[in-house]
Amino acid sequence: PALLLVYSQLLQQENKTAESQEFLKRAAEYDPRVLLNSIADYMRNGLPVQARATADLMVERIKNKSGELSEDNTVLAANAYVLTNRLDNAMEGLQKGFKRFPTSQTIARALSNAYRLKFRTSLVQGKSQVQVNLEYLDIAVSLDPTNVLIQEELEALTQIGIGQSEETMETLRNRI
C-alpha cells in the first residue's frame, strides 16, 4: 500500500484528483486507514459529498464481522467523521466505544478532544459579548484531566476577554 500512496500523492500534486483517489482506494483495500488521506483530499478540494461517502465507506470496512468497531477503529471512525465536519457522529461513536472499552485512554482522549472541539464551536461572539458553553469543557476535563489541549481553550477564553475577572478565573479553576 505504501507505493500506491506515494503514487497517489504524486498524482494529487499534478492536480489529477480522480486518478489519485483511485490509487488511494486500491491502497485502502490493504489498509482502510489510508482512506483518511482521501477524505482530507476531498475536503481540501471542496468535495464534501465525496468525502462523506468515503468516510462512511471506511467506517463500514473497519467494522468487525459482528458490525462493531475495535478500540483503535473507534477512534479511526471518529477521525473520519471529524474530517467531514460531523462532530456529533464522532462523539456518538466515541461514547459507544467508551462504554465498550471503559478503561481505554485512547478513546477517553479522543472523546475529550471531541468535547473540546464542541466547546470551541460553541463560542459565539456577538457585538457586545461572548457566549460560551463551559459544560463541554467540563466534560472534556472529566474524561481526560491530562489533556494539554484544554489549556489552549483556556488561553483562547482569556484572549477574547473571558476569564479576566477574578470571579470568572475562580470558576475556571474550579472546573479544572
Side-chain angles (χ1 to χ4, degrees), residues 104-167:
S104 170
Q105 289 299 310
T106 305
I107 293 177
R109 172 63 56 96
L111 190 53
S112 174
N113 281 329
Y115 274 101
R116 185 183 59 79
L117 289 173
K118 191 77 169 174
F119 166 76
R120 173 72 54 110
T121 61
S122 80
L123 289 172
V124 178
Q125 290 184 306
K127 291 181 181 177
S128 62
Q129 63 181 2
V130 177
Q131 295 177 344
V132 296
N133 187 340
L134 290 174
E135 249 181 77
Y136 296 130
L137 206 54
D138 278 346
I139 296 168
V141 170
S142 69
L143 286 163
D144 185 1
T146 65
N147 188 345
V148 295
L149 295 176
I150 294 171
Q151 182 63 36
E152 291 178 15
E153 303 308 328
L154 296 176
E155 290 171 8
L157 288 174
T158 302
Q159 288 176 357
I160 59 176
I162 295 176
Q164 294 183 1
S165 75
E166 189 55 42
E167 179 184 336

Side-chain angles (χ1 to χ4, degrees), residues 59-92:
V59 171
E60 286 306 309
R61 282 188 180 173
I62 60 177
K63 287 180 179 176
N64 63 24
K65 291 179 183 177
S66 62
E68 295 180 328
L69 294 168
S70 69
E71 182 179 343
D72 289 338
N73 285 344
T74 296
V75 176
L76 186 63
N79 288 337
Y81 287 133
V82 169
L83 282 173
T84 57
N85 298 319
R86 294 184 284 177
L87 185 56
D88 290 336
N89 294 63
M91 292 173 73
E92 180 183 331

